[in-house]
Amino acid sequence: MKKAFAILALVAAMFVAGNAQAQTTVNIGYSPETFKTTYSSNSIKDNYQGLHFGFVTNVKLVQELGIGAGAQVRMNMQQKKESLLGSTTTIKDFQLLIDVPVLINYNININNNFAITPFVGPMVSFAAVGKTNTKVMAGNTQLRNTDLNWYGEDGSYYLSGPLKRFNLYAVFGGNVRFGGFNLYGGYRMGLLNILKSTDSMTMKTNGFFVGLGFTL
């Protein structure tokens, strides 16, 4: 499975590098994510705030049908605070991901300056960083400050065990272009269980996204 992810990422990178005349759009946006853990007939959801920035290069295939490939950096963040017996515990989660989308799209031109473009396709995702920082304070005195890595043999996502770095999403949405400016949005659905231990639990991720882009 990892080889398949690597091949898809390599194809996307070659596609982008080999199309100097293609249309490239840089973008930035909001992309919260939900981690859904399922065990037996129960499920738990963890909701994260998210940001992303990157680029997509699009090439027309036939008439208004095109294919876009690119790369983006995405961040998931969450903070929780608990107070007990005069001490305050702050828990901060942070995840940094590299995404490679490959999206089929169809351009619907309203006029020369205005177009609507629906898109759909896969997105490979690699988690470069994932950690939980726990800090316990009693007044101005720090009692504990520890980091928990989510990945590797000794990693753990809370009590769920270590996570897998690779994920594969199904992505769909649409883009509205006015001149060189773009407003886009959609949904990504994680297809893989990202828990290394799959005996009794599964964990999948999903979330919507919205953003602004500018076509160079």
Side-chain angles (χ1 to χ4, degrees):
M1 185 64 71
K2 289 184 179 181
K3 289 183 179 179
F5 292 150
I7 291 171
L8 182 54
L10 178 60
V11 169
M14 292 174 63
F15 173 88
V16 173
N19 290 279
Q21 296 180 350
Q23 195 174 55
T24 298
T25 300
V26 293
N27 53 68
I28 185 169
Y30 175 60
S31 50
E33 186 139 80
T34 297
F35 286 54
K36 183 179 179 180
T37 305
T38 303
Y39 56 97
S40 300
S41 58
N42 302 309
S43 64
I44 298 175
K45 292 183 179 181
D46 249 340
N47 297 313
Y48 287 79
Q49 298 298 314
L51 299 172
H52 68 270
F53 60 90
F55 71 94
V56 174
T57 298
N58 194 66
V59 174
K60 286 186 178 180
L61 298 177
V62 179
Q63 295 181 346
E64 298 303 323
L65 181 67
I67 183 169
Q72 69 177 14
V73 175
R74 185 160 51 92
M75 292 167 283
N76 289 323
M77 298 158 285
Q78 182 190 75
Q79 179 173 308
K80 301 175 183 177
K81 277 191 176 183
E82 299 176 355
S83 296
L84 179 65
L85 300 177
S87 65
T88 301
T89 300
T90 303
I91 302 173
K92 294 181 180 180
D93 291 337
F94 177 77
Q95 186 185 35
L96 179 69
L97 306 109
I98 308 298
D99 298 329
V100 179
V102 181
L103 305 173
I104 299 294
N105 55 82
Y106 189 83
N107 194 56
I108 304 170
N109 288 307
I110 307 302
N111 56 45
N112 290 334
N113 291 317
F114 185 70
I116 299 172
T117 307
F119 55 79
V120 64
M123 183 176 76
V124 174
S125 185
F126 173 78
V129 177
K131 66 178 183 178
T132 299
N133 174 262
T134 302
K135 183 182 293 185
V136 181
M137 301 289 294
N140 295 323
T141 303
Q142 180 175 287
L143 303 179
R144 183 160 66 97
N145 188 0
T146 58
D147 285 321
L148 177 65
N149 182 29
W150 296 358
Y151 304 101
E153 294 301 322
D154 298 326
S156 182
Y157 179 83
Y158 293 95
L159 300 177
S160 302
L163 303 185
K164 299 174 184 177
R165 291 186 183 271
F166 287 93
N167 201 356
L168 178 65
Y169 291 87
V171 178
F172 58 89
N175 179 78
V176 177
R177 178 183 60 83
F178 184 79
F181 294 93
N182 298 266
L183 174 65
Y184 62 90
Y187 186 81
R188 64 188 180 280
M189 179 174 63
L191 303 177
L192 303 180
N193 176 20
I194 60 172
L195 277 179
K196 279 195 171 182
S197 175
T198 59
D199 294 338
S200 58
M201 292 190 297
T202 62
M203 180 184 292
K204 293 186 177 181
T205 59
N206 60 79
F208 72 90
F209 56 90
V210 293
L212 296 172
F214 183 77
T215 301
L216 304 176

